[in-house]
Amino acid sequence: MELESLYDLLQLPKGVEPPAEEMLSQGGKKRYLPPTSRKDPKFEELQKVLMEWINTTLLPEHIVVRSLEEDMFDGLILHHLFQRLAALKLEAEDIALTAASQKHKLTVVLEAVNRSLQLEERQAKWSVETIFNKDLLSTLHLLVALAKRFQPSLSLPTNVQVEVITIESTKSGLKSEKSVEQLTEYSTDKDQPPKDVFDELFKLAPEKVNAVKEAIVNFVNQKLDRLGLSVQNLDTQFADGVILLLLIGQLEGFFLHLKEFYLTPNSPAEMLHNVTLALELLKDEGLLSCPVSPEDIVNKDAKSTLRVLYGLFCKHTQKAHRDSTPRGAPN
């Protein structure tokens, strides 16, 4: 390929060197985003939304991301982000200074991410090499997947796609190919998940949320009174799963051996174990009308906590009403 045509293809400004053949081993490939792709409004918006989400999530740890391309490659921020999202502790060194240790750290983090996303390495649109080499497209695919798994309510711009130029080193020189990379999905009405009662409540009648919380707290305290327990703050007291498990046991007649859960959880992983067990019990009883992530409960997401308790509330308040209605009475 002629040098001038390569400049034109990559839309490189004067003074910026195009990739030399010696930089790519024979058969090697490298992807480039031309300026028109980088300046695409939806592409820029996607990066902005993901950056704000990461910075909000990591605010308690005083970590700030300024560039997805430059700040994510060494695994440090991905390490902190995944631990907080998944509420677990990874066996990886906190600070990695050498390239070898950074790659090792990144490997540990991505293996955990792929397990959580139930992806085999060959299915993932990212790898240790691409992330470490600051491949922005791979980093975006990874962050979009994490957002969809752990923060499905995050409003990502839909149908983000960009033109990509792949340069390959062949025996006869550099070969280029244009393609389109799809980063987020199309959005159609039928693709949207059905909204449950709490989606509508928080959106259309936020002033009524506290009244619903108060009714559910009163119900919970009536049921927990015989155990000498009470709930004052619905948003926080269910995060470790203990009260939730005890409540399910009372209402559904389950006996949970102390070996099955952590009565005094001391880590996010132990809290996650408790909440996951509680959600499995509710699912088995048909009391989860919408999918709920255990990580959301551990992270004190009010809407998710209400969803879980609402199923129990409806079942047992209706049961109490039926039991108190005289037989033969009209509906």
Side-chain angles (χ1 to χ4, degrees):
M1 175 180 290
E2 294 293 332
L3 193 59
E4 288 184 7
S5 61
L6 189 56
Y7 267 107
D8 292 338
L9 181 67
L10 297 178
Q11 302 170 27
L12 292 171
K14 290 182 179 179
V16 176
E17 289 297 318
E21 290 183 48
E22 55 268 21
M23 290 175 61
L24 289 174
S25 58
Q26 190 163 323
K29 294 182 179 181
K30 188 169 178 61
R31 295 190 298 181
Y32 291 88
L33 279 169
T36 50
S37 293
R38 288 181 177 274
K39 292 176 183 176
D40 181 278
K42 294 186 78 170
F43 184 68
E44 291 180 332
E45 177 67 14
L46 176 63
Q47 292 179 77
K48 179 184 174 185
V49 171
L50 289 170
M51 210 153 12
E52 289 176 350
W53 169 60
I54 294 170
N55 288 337
T56 301
T57 303
L58 296 180
L59 184 63
E61 300 184 44
H62 308 290
I63 293 175
V64 178
V65 174
R66 292 185 171 85
S67 167
L68 296 181
E69 196 164 17
E70 296 295 330
D71 294 348
M72 311 297 292
F73 79 98
D74 62 359
L76 176 64
I77 290 172
L78 284 173
H79 182 194
H80 285 269
L81 178 65
F82 182 70
Q83 284 193 147
R84 186 161 284 273
L85 291 174
L88 52 80
K89 177 76 173 172
L90 294 181
E91 295 299 324
E93 54 188 321
D94 285 332
I95 304 297
L97 299 178
T98 66
S101 60
Q102 289 171 348
K103 266 194 172 182
H104 174 72
K105 180 187 184 75
L106 186 59
T107 300
V108 172
V109 174
L110 292 185
E111 285 177 351
V113 168
N114 291 346
R115 282 196 301 271
S116 176
L117 298 175
Q118 298 181 341
L119 285 175
E120 294 182 19
E121 188 176 352
R122 58 184 174 80
Q123 296 174 301
K125 295 179 180 179
W126 54 84
S127 67
V128 173
E129 288 300 321
T130 57
I131 299 294
F132 191 74
N133 289 327
K134 303 181 183 180
D135 184 312
L136 181 56
L137 294 173
S138 292
T139 302
L140 289 173
H141 277 303
L142 171 60
L143 294 175
V144 167
L146 286 172
K148 287 170 66 177
R149 167 68 176 86
F150 294 104
Q151 192 82 41
S153 60
L154 184 66
S155 182
L156 296 173
T158 58
N159 194 26
V160 178
Q161 52 183 345
V162 290
E163 185 180 79
V164 182
I165 298 167
T166 303
I167 305 296
E168 181 181 3
S169 177
T170 67
K171 290 181 179 179
S172 56
L174 293 176
K175 176 185 173 184
S176 68
E177 181 178 327
K178 287 185 179 182
S179 61
V180 173
E181 189 93 1
Q182 190 80 32
L183 291 164
T184 61
E185 298 169 349
Y186 287 91
S187 177
T188 60
D189 290 341
K190 67 178 183 179
D191 289 336
Q192 297 297 320
K195 291 184 178 180
D196 72 346
V197 64
F198 289 104
D199 285 326
E200 297 298 306
L201 180 66
F202 275 71
K203 181 179 178 181
L204 302 178
E207 72 281 358
K208 295 182 181 179
V209 171
N210 285 335
V212 174
K213 286 183 180 179
E214 186 177 342
I216 292 180
V217 166
N218 288 338
F219 161 78
V220 168
N221 284 335
Q222 288 174 11
K223 304 304 176 184
L224 292 179
D225 183 60
R226 70 191 73 179
L227 297 178
L229 299 172
S230 67
V231 170
Q232 282 76 45
N233 190 322
L234 182 145
D235 293 351
T236 61
Q237 285 185 259
F238 289 90
D240 64 7
V242 176
I243 290 180
L244 183 57
L245 283 169
L246 295 175
L247 177 66
I248 294 170
Q250 281 288 329
L251 293 174
E252 299 299 314
F254 292 135
F255 173 76
L256 292 172
H257 197 282
L258 290 178
K259 291 182 179 179
E260 294 183 62
F261 69 104
Y262 297 95
L263 190 59
T264 55
N266 293 315
S267 68
E270 293 179 356
M271 295 164 67
L272 189 64
H273 170 88
N274 286 353
V275 174
T276 301
L277 174 60
L279 295 183
E280 287 173 353
L281 293 173
L282 291 173
K283 187 176 180 181
D284 290 344
E285 294 299 304
L287 292 173
L288 282 181
S289 57
C290 286
V292 175
S293 167
E295 290 87 358
D296 288 343
I297 304 293
V298 173
N299 291 330
K300 303 174 185 176
D301 180 76
K303 195 189 296 186
S304 297
T305 305
L306 280 171
R307 280 195 183 103
V308 169
L309 295 173
Y310 185 68
L312 288 166
F313 174 80
C314 286
K315 176 181 177 179
H316 290 277
T317 51
Q318 289 171 4
K319 181 176 182 295
H321 176 71
R322 287 195 304 269
D323 293 346
S324 64
T325 302
R327 291 185 180 180
N331 291 334

